[in-house]
Amino acid sequence: MSQEEKKHFLDLIREFDDAMLVSHAPDSQLRARPMAVAETTDEGDVFFVTSVDSPKVDELLDDARLLVTFQKGNKYVSLSGTAEFVEDRARIRELWQPIWSAWFPDGPEDTDIILIRVRAEEGEYWDMTGRTRVKMAFRGLRSLLTGTEVKPPESASAHGHVQL
């Protein structure tokens, strides 16, 4: 992993407003749900807001390992880590977004609110924008015409795997 890959990964995850949070259900199945991103830290940790009574809280108490996936346009990111719960009212007030009133009518003082902090451990990204997108289109066309396998770009701006 290069510093360039890590920087690109961190820059990418800051672009996303929403993600899919994947946890382990009690029956050992994987369960995914869309979540609004409350904050992304410089270390790659991601915060989400949820209800204390949400089934995902129980799932994460039983098994804190999780996966977060992001996708927008031609940018894709996966982030693996562990969940940690934050009940700090000052932190909740700091991150508060008015749209959350739909779920928490008492605002940031609502005692049902808890933050999920994803302690980032590793991540992977595929950024198929700009020149990379054009290169992939040509590679795909060449593959169709020649019957050969499409080789993904090998630049740090297109794809990378990072330890956080």
Side-chain angles (χ1 to χ4, degrees), residues 25-80:
D27 60 2
S28 297
Q29 295 296 313
L30 296 173
R31 177 157 303 134
R33 76 278 290 155
M35 302 284 293
V37 175
E39 182 184 43
T40 302
T41 70
D42 291 340
E43 296 78 30
D45 292 354
V46 179
F47 283 85
F48 299 101
V49 65
T50 194
S51 167
V52 169
D53 296 323
S54 168
K56 74 178 100 24
V57 171
D58 291 331
E59 292 170 7
L60 294 169
L61 286 170
D62 288 341
D63 186 345
R65 296 172 304 145
L66 49 73
L67 172 73
V68 180
T69 64
F70 306 85
Q71 188 273 324
K72 183 190 292 185
N74 290 303
K75 297 178 182 182
Y76 308 86
V77 175
S78 70
L79 171 68
S80 299

Side-chain angles (χ1 to χ4, degrees), residues 58-111:
D58 291 331
E59 292 170 7
L60 294 169
L61 286 170
D62 288 341
D63 186 345
R65 296 172 304 145
L66 49 73
L67 172 73
V68 180
T69 64
F70 306 85
Q71 188 273 324
K72 183 190 292 185
N74 290 303
K75 297 178 182 182
Y76 308 86
V77 175
S78 70
L79 171 68
S80 299
T82 54
E84 173 181 293
F85 295 102
V86 179
E87 298 182 76
D88 180 350
R89 264 321 112 192
R91 188 77 170 112
I92 292 168
R93 280 191 295 277
E94 179 184 330
L95 297 176
W96 180 256
Q97 296 177 25
I99 190 73
W100 297 346
S101 294
W103 293 272
F104 306 104
D106 294 333
E109 303 307 319
D110 194 316
T111 57

